[in-house]
Amino acid sequence: MSDSQDKWDRIYARGSHNAKVAAILSRHTDLVQTSGLALDIACGQGTNALALAALGMEVDAWDISAVAIEQLKDAAHRQRLAVNARIVDITPDMFPDNHYDLVLNCHYLDRSLTTAITSALKPGGLVMFQTFTANKLADIGPSHQDYLLQPDELLSMFKDFETESYCDESQNVDRNDPLCGRAYLVARKPTGT
């Protein structure tokens, strides 16, 4: 078991990481298809995966924590939702090409996955990406620069995509706001690719 897996298993076992649906998803459900295939990267307990499945999508949900994946599987079974939850240490070679209608990535930043996410989306597919920023004023989220977005980084990561919505709340210090210290991007892969 890796240190990362052990850390997250302990967090989820304590029940101290219960999450609400990410702001990016709750604010943009109108852009989510009511069918098709979605991927939730680093899904945790699967709050977002369950929300996508409730909207009608079939969802692959990946996370390193066995505890979180087991909790997600139980919740999906109870709610009779189409979620395929897997324990994985996510790497770029895991992403199938032109496979997903939507890829959701919340509160997880691994820059090595950007090209894989782009390739995994079908033409016209949607990426929804939300995480903490390096310029955040609130003491919230990770502190190491490797896990924090630089100014406008999301826009450059998906520069060939059509931006549907972009928001940077780095200056927001309201810790009760689900976007405090975060940025998000909703963007569509061009249909010609």
Side-chain angles (χ1 to χ4, degrees):
M1 178 183 300
S2 72
D3 290 344
S4 181
Q5 182 179 14
D6 182 54
K7 169 191 160 185
W8 286 106
D9 280 349
R10 281 185 277 111
I11 289 169
Y12 292 121
R14 286 194 307 258
S16 60
H17 203 266
N18 294 322
K20 296 179 182 175
V21 172
I24 191 173
L25 184 53
S26 63
R27 290 183 181 196
H28 297 288
T29 54
D30 58 315
L31 297 175
V32 177
Q33 296 179 193
T34 55
S35 64
L37 189 57
L39 171 63
D40 185 358
I41 298 171
C43 64
Q45 295 165 304
T47 306
N48 296 319
L50 295 168
L52 287 167
L55 291 169
M57 299 199 84
E58 183 180 337
V59 182
D60 288 343
W62 299 344
D63 199 274
I64 197 168
S65 170
V67 173
I69 291 298
E70 202 52 47
Q71 292 170 351
L72 172 53
K73 285 180 177 180
D74 289 346
H77 179 75
R78 280 193 316 275
Q79 297 174 44
R80 296 190 169 110
L81 293 172
V83 176
N84 175 32
R86 289 178 47 208
I87 305 162
V88 292
D89 188 0
I90 302 166
T91 59
D93 61 334
M94 298 176 56
F95 292 71
D97 285 345
N98 295 313
H99 190 72
Y100 293 105
D101 298 291
L102 184 150
V103 174
L104 178 70
N105 186 326
C106 287
H107 302 127
Y108 179 71
L109 182 59
D110 180 345
R111 291 170 179 89
S112 75
L113 300 180
T114 303
T115 300
I117 291 169
T118 299
S119 297
L121 281 165
K122 295 177 184 175
L126 205 63
V127 64
M128 299 180 118
F129 203 118
Q130 172 185 308
T131 198
F132 296 95
T133 68
N135 292 341
K136 60 186 170 68
L137 296 182
D139 183 18
I140 189 169
S143 58
H144 196 286
Q145 291 296 309
D146 286 353
Y147 306 115
L148 298 169
L149 291 167
Q150 296 303 311
D152 297 330
E153 184 176 1
L154 280 176
L155 294 170
S156 65
M157 285 169 67
F158 298 98
K159 64 182 180 299
D160 296 330
F161 282 37
E162 175 188 331
T163 299
E164 298 278 351
S165 183
Y166 176 71
C167 179
D168 185 336
E169 291 288 329
S170 297
Q171 307 305 300
N172 182 343
V173 294
D174 179 1
R175 295 172 65 94
N176 293 317
D177 185 330
L179 287 176
C180 173
R182 300 164 176 89
Y184 75 65
L185 174 71
V186 181
R188 194 169 300 280
K189 184 176 181 176
T191 55
T193 57

